[in-house]
Amino acid sequence: MYLDNAATTKVHPEVYNVMQNASFANYNAKYYQEAEMTKVQIDDATSLIAANLNVEPESIIYTSGATESNNHIIKAMFELYPNKHFITSMIEHKCVLETFKYIESKGANVTYVAPNNNCEITVGAINHALTEDTVFVSVMHVNNETGVINDISAIQKLCNSKNILFHSDAVQALGKVEFDYRTIDFISFSGHKINGPKGIGLLINNTKIKLPSLIHGSNQQNGNRAGTLPNELIVGLSTAVDLILHTSNEVIKANKEYIIELFKKEFGEDLTINFPDNTVDSILSIRLKGEVNQIFLSDNKDEIKASTGSSCSINEPSYVLQACGFSQQEIRETIRLSFNKYDILQVD
Ligand code: PLP
């Protein structure tokens, strides 16, 4: 059983299909029919993404993935406001934390907010961290290790009331939590977490602010990001977004319940669900008393393909669980199981 969908997902057959049929010509080319076809396909794909996400097509910046989207927004904010104060959380994905550490090394003033007992980043904690100089806050929508959902609407409202810009890494939330992303200033998404292709992501800019580009070159994407537009990836991503937002969470829910039952049968009282409340159904963090996660997963790798936590920090004890107050023993006993919307797990 593949239970590592928070790390990456298999490309959906319909996504493959549209990618295979994508026009090959350069979006910026002129005069010939193939180039016209590319233009129509990419513009249609962008309109479809915009309609699904309820954002303006002009707000969409195509990137190489959420790592780039997160780098882009954080570095852009630092470039625009070098002497101001920034807030993020201790449990963000590495690509957010390392980018904040990078701008800190260039002189930025950054506060890393701790989660509460349920591993949530609360609006209260953000409020407490605000200073007169705060201009930018970044808090993820759903954590990739715990599955816990943060109330980003409340954080955006707080930011609005103080004229602060807000960004959310919503990679693990898209299609799992119903949400109107138009209400958030900046958002990051990734193709390969929603059964789309790897190598493409989105940075949505719902504000009127012109962000400095991260990647310089020609004037593609109105100067927001240089580089030839990847036709195949864009049409694939648009189909993946459309599919994920029009497919119910029933399979994910059923898969999660099935897996919990399976582990209950095997481990009984020795099974603990780390975060029973306020989580997405697609991510299940469990503890197996007396087991060592790496040994357990390696011994059972033919039956269960899963991770101890984030695949980006596989060899280190989870800094996320540490920030959430877990002991080293509890971290060692924890594994993360994650599900997708399209693969029904076998029920014998
Ligand atoms: N943010 C979160 C919450 C993630 O889970 C991931 C994936 O590991 C990323 C960002 C990075 O996304 P990408 O692989 O598209 O760069």
Side-chain angles (χ1 to χ4, degrees):
M1 283 187 289
Y2 180 72
L3 302 177
D4 208 11
N5 291 278
T8 198
T9 54
K10 210 167 41 177
V11 176
H12 192 285
E14 279 184 47
V15 171
Y16 262 133
N17 192 32
V18 294
M19 288 174 72
Q20 269 171 342
N21 291 312
S23 171
F24 75 93
N26 191 310
Y27 180 84
N28 287 90
K30 272 187 184 157
Y31 313 120
Y32 48 90
Q33 198 192 359
E34 287 83 351
E36 275 309 309
M37 266 175 63
T38 300
K39 202 160 166 22
V40 168
Q41 284 183 4
I42 290 191
D43 290 349
D44 284 354
T46 304
S47 299
L48 186 61
I49 293 173
N52 270 302
L53 298 177
N54 189 32
V55 299
E56 297 300 325
E58 296 72 33
S59 71
I60 292 172
I61 304 171
Y62 292 109
T63 64
S64 64
T67 297
E68 182 185 320
S69 306
N70 291 337
N71 267 264
H72 191 161
I73 186 64
I74 296 164
K75 288 175 182 167
M77 286 295 121
F78 180 54
E79 199 172 322
L80 291 174
Y81 310 107
N83 300 315
K84 295 291 186 178
H85 175 238
F86 304 87
I87 297 173
T88 190
S89 87
M90 291 164 73
I91 59 166
E92 298 299 308
H93 191 269
K94 274 263 162 145
C95 63
V96 168
L97 289 178
E98 289 301 316
T99 309
F100 273 111
K101 284 195 188 132
Y102 172 76
I103 63 165
E104 252 186 325
S105 78
K106 303 281 173 199
N109 177 11
V110 184
T111 299
Y112 299 85
V113 167
N116 68 6
N117 286 343
N118 191 35
C119 219
E120 296 153 338
I121 304 300
T122 64
V123 66
I126 298 294
N127 195 23
H128 189 71
L130 294 179
T131 73
E132 300 248 296
D133 280 337
T134 309
V135 287
F136 178 61
V137 173
S138 179
V139 174
M140 71 203 316
H141 195 182
V142 168
N143 182 271
N144 48 302
E145 290 191 40
T146 64
V148 172
I149 306 166
N150 291 316
D151 186 353
I152 58 169
S153 280
I155 300 174
Q156 176 73 63
K157 274 193 200 124
L158 171 71
C159 289
N160 287 348
S161 74
K162 310 265 180 192
N163 260 334
I164 292 168
L165 293 164
F166 178 55
H167 163 256
S168 187
D169 173 345
V171 162
Q172 300 289 352
L174 186 60
K176 321 295 178 347
V177 183
E178 230 172 275
F179 196 82
D180 184 3
Y181 286 105
R182 193 186 200 103
T183 59
I184 304 296
D185 291 332
F186 307 105
I187 313 130
S188 300
F189 295 115
S190 172
H192 73 100
K193 309 285 184 176
I194 54 163
N195 301 84
K198 293 175 183 56
I200 187 158
L202 298 172
L203 175 60
I204 309 288
N205 176 359
N206 283 320
T207 74
K208 297 265 177 292
I209 296 170
K210 176 83 181 158
L211 298 175
S213 184
L214 181 69
I215 310 282
H216 301 277
S218 303
N219 196 41
Q220 291 98 345
Q221 303 202 56
N222 295 321
N224 283 311
R225 195 222 189 240
T228 303
L229 281 171
N231 314 356
E232 299 83 355
L233 297 178
I234 290 173
V235 295
L237 176 67
S238 76
T239 303
V241 168
D242 194 42
L243 284 168
I244 205 94
L245 290 176
H246 288 97
T247 307
S248 86
N249 274 306
E250 265 168 48
V251 166
I252 284 184
K253 251 195 169 91
N255 285 343
K256 180 179 181 180
E257 280 162 18
Y258 170 62
I259 290 295
I260 290 175
E261 281 313 305
L262 216 65
F263 273 90
K264 261 195 194 147
K265 260 192 220 152
E266 190 72 23
F267 287 90
E269 297 283 287
D270 290 339
L271 167 71
T272 305
I273 295 173
N274 283 332
F275 305 99
D277 302 318
N278 189 29
T279 48
V280 284
D281 287 319
S282 50
I283 297 176
L284 175 65
S285 173
I286 59 171
R287 230 160 54 228
L288 304 173
K289 199 171 170 199
E291 296 287 342
V292 175
N293 51 15
Q294 295 192 3
I295 297 173
F296 176 83
L297 289 173
S298 148
D299 285 351
N300 294 285
K301 64 178 184 293
D302 293 334
E303 287 84 37
I304 297 168
K305 299 162 202 302
S307 306
T308 55
S310 169
S311 39
C312 302
S313 349
I314 205 92
N315 290 319
E316 308 151 22
S318 162
Y319 63 85
V320 171
L321 296 179
Q322 225 158 296
C324 299
F326 277 48
S327 67
Q328 290 303 313
Q329 166 89 5
E330 288 169 329
I331 294 173
R332 262 197 308 277
E333 290 175 346
T334 292
I335 60 173
R336 178 192 68 179
L337 308 165
S338 48
F339 317 103
N340 75 75
K341 285 191 170 187
Y342 309 115
D343 295 313
I344 301 170
L345 298 174
Q346 192 58 52
V347 185
D348 295 320

